[in-house]
Amino acid sequence: MIDDGTGLFTIGELARSTGLTVRTIRYWSDEGVLTPVTRSAGGYRLYDAGSAARLELIRTLRELGLGLDDVRKVLAGDRTVAEVAAAHVVALDAQISTLKVTRAVLSSVARRGSTAEEMTLMNKLARLSAAERRRIMEEFVEEMFHGLDLVDPDIRERMRNTAVNLPDDPTPEQVDAWVELAEMVQDPEFRAQMRRAAEFNHADRGPGTPAGASMWFAKRVVELVGRAREKGVAPESPEADKVLRELLGDADRAAVLERITASHNVRIARWRELLGILKDQPVRAFEEEFGWVAAALRAHPGR
């Protein structure tokens, strides 16, 4: 404090009393967040006890990560500390989420020994915003069902629910799965496969067909084929033809084979597996059971 009875401080004295540097205090003064109460005859900035208290508040806010604009608003009374803190929590959460994705990408690169090109692609896809990632998936599902009003509503809803995103704290395996999934849904050949499966579902249903009928058939396949496989019935055996008759009745077996091939193949099975990895819930797609039916249909093409 200046020994003149005014109770004022120079920047140097303020620095010594607060532990801050003269340079920092001068910078905050230049930026308008710590205004001197007056100047000395020699032009030096002078501060009072209120300035010292204000300086402590500025330091606290800065240590909490607030920028000078927000500090200015708090000091001016335009925003409360609570409001600014809440906004910064949101911003920090976003930064933390980004850092977690970056960590997972780097872990995946280290584990896989990825090339620079692969790492660039992985980082680009994984760092897309949540909204952009969801848009990619939603556009894929929209294209798959566009104009197919008779598609089983349960199937449509299940597909919409697969518009998955990266978890908040993804594992390297989930980053790999998301990248592979994003590449798949942007592959014209895969999109055509999924569209074809949807078209078959649309063609097989009438206006009065109840929702969930497609799922009922899948459950029937699992039930009958599971029982046959437990008994050791091979798809090529005569007993397999009996299973097909029980399952399909007089349906056109060639048409059924075409539909099963369209909806149960290696790429679609991989799609379902990737969804399971992202949701951290292993997906049972019953590919073995449908594969058995396909093999039996090829071995017994007649009705």
Side-chain angles (χ1 to χ4, degrees), residues 224 228 233-251 253 292-293 295-303:
L224 294 179
V233 176
E236 302 79 12
S237 68
E239 291 81 0
D241 187 52
K242 297 177 183 177
V243 175
L244 290 178
R245 284 200 300 272
E246 186 176 358
L247 177 66
L248 305 174
D250 294 331
R253 292 189 179 185
W292 187 97
V293 173
L297 286 168
R298 292 187 185 97
H300 309 282
R303 294 188 179 183

Side-chain angles (χ1 to χ4, degrees), residues 26-101:
R26 182 177 291 117
Y27 172 68
W28 287 348
S29 291
D30 290 342
E31 290 297 315
V33 294
L34 183 68
T35 306
V37 294
T38 187
R39 287 183 179 265
S40 70
Y44 294 102
R45 285 175 271 206
L46 299 176
Y47 304 87
D48 60 10
S51 302
R54 185 182 179 95
L55 186 59
E56 289 293 343
L57 176 58
I58 294 168
R59 175 162 61 180
T60 298
L61 294 173
R62 292 290 286 158
E63 288 175 350
L64 289 172
L66 274 67
L68 287 180
D69 283 343
D70 282 327
V71 170
R72 221 178 267 111
K73 291 174 183 176
V74 170
L75 295 173
D78 295 336
R79 298 184 72 184
T80 66
V81 174
E83 289 172 340
V84 174
H88 275 261
V89 167
V90 173
L92 286 171
D93 284 344
Q95 292 175 6
I96 290 169
S97 178
T98 298
L99 287 173
K100 286 178 177 179
V101 171

Side-chain angles (χ1 to χ4, degrees):
M1 185 182 298
I2 300 175
D3 190 16
D4 60 1
T6 62
L8 299 178
F9 300 86
T10 64
I11 282 184
E13 291 166 332
L14 204 56
R16 284 191 293 274
S17 67
T18 60
L20 292 165
T21 67
V22 169
R23 183 177 180 180
T24 296
I25 297 174
R26 182 177 291 117
Y27 172 68
W28 287 348
S29 291
D30 290 342
E31 290 297 315
V33 294
L34 183 68
T35 306
V37 294
T38 187
R39 287 183 179 265
S40 70
Y44 294 102
R45 285 175 271 206
L46 299 176
Y47 304 87
D48 60 10
S51 302
R54 185 182 179 95
L55 186 59
E56 289 293 343
L57 176 58
I58 294 168
R59 175 162 61 180
T60 298
L61 294 173
R62 292 290 286 158
E63 288 175 350
L64 289 172
L66 274 67
L68 287 180
D69 283 343
D70 282 327
V71 170
R72 221 178 267 111
K73 291 174 183 176
V74 170
L75 295 173
D78 295 336
R79 298 184 72 184
T80 66
V81 174
E83 289 172 340
V84 174
H88 275 261
V89 167
V90 173
L92 286 171
D93 284 344
Q95 292 175 6
I96 290 169
S97 178
T98 298
L99 287 173
K100 286 178 177 179
V101 171
T102 301
R103 182 190 64 189
V105 169
L106 291 174
S107 298
S108 179
V109 169
R111 178 172 52 84
R112 292 172 39 173
S114 304
T115 65
E117 291 77 11
E118 288 174 327
M119 183 179 72
T120 299
L121 174 63
M122 289 176 62
N123 190 54
K124 178 181 177 182
L125 291 174
R127 292 286 294 275
L128 289 173
S129 70
E132 289 170 323
R133 289 196 292 262
R134 181 163 290 279
R135 177 186 55 77
I136 288 173
M137 292 299 178
E138 288 178 346
E139 286 181 354
F140 164 69
V141 174
E142 176 61 28
E143 180 181 313
M144 181 178 171
F145 293 120
H146 181 70
L148 304 180
D149 298 334
L150 295 180
V151 166
D152 192 323
D154 284 6
I155 297 292
R156 191 189 298 271
E157 187 61 25
R158 282 164 63 93
M159 283 300 300
R160 282 188 175 139
N161 288 337
T162 63
V164 293
N165 208 338
L166 270 172
D168 291 336
D169 189 5
T171 64
E173 292 77 14
Q174 286 172 323
V175 170
D176 287 350
W178 160 251
V179 171
E180 186 176 343
L181 197 70
E183 290 177 312
M184 285 180 74
V185 301
Q186 295 176 85
D187 175 9
E189 184 178 336
F190 179 72
R191 293 171 85 104
Q193 277 188 334
M194 295 293 281
R195 172 71 180 185
R196 188 161 173 256
E199 288 171 343
F200 277 133
N201 186 276
H202 171 83
D204 289 342
R205 293 172 51 82
T209 305
S214 303
M215 301 306 298
W216 176 87
F217 177 73
K219 292 176 182 177
R220 185 70 170 153
V221 167
V222 172
E223 176 188 347
L224 294 179
V225 174
R227 191 185 309 154
R229 294 179 70 217
E230 285 179 2
K231 294 178 180 178
V233 176
E236 302 79 12
S237 68
E239 291 81 0
D241 187 52
K242 297 177 183 177
V243 175
L244 290 178
R245 284 200 300 272
E246 186 176 358
L247 177 66
L248 305 174
D250 294 331
D252 184 335
R253 292 189 179 185
V256 173
L257 177 59
E258 187 177 12
R259 283 155 172 73
I260 287 179
T261 303
S263 58
H264 293 80
N265 53 59
V266 173
R267 293 203 79 190
I268 294 180
R270 179 58 177 165
W271 153 268
R272 295 185 177 115
E273 182 181 359
L274 293 172
L275 292 178
I277 293 172
L278 281 168
K279 294 183 176 181
D280 201 21
Q281 298 173 349
V283 174
R284 179 80 197 282
F286 305 107
E287 297 302 326
E288 292 180 353
E289 286 83 353
F290 279 94
W292 187 97
V293 173
L297 286 168
R298 292 187 185 97
H300 309 282
R303 294 188 179 183

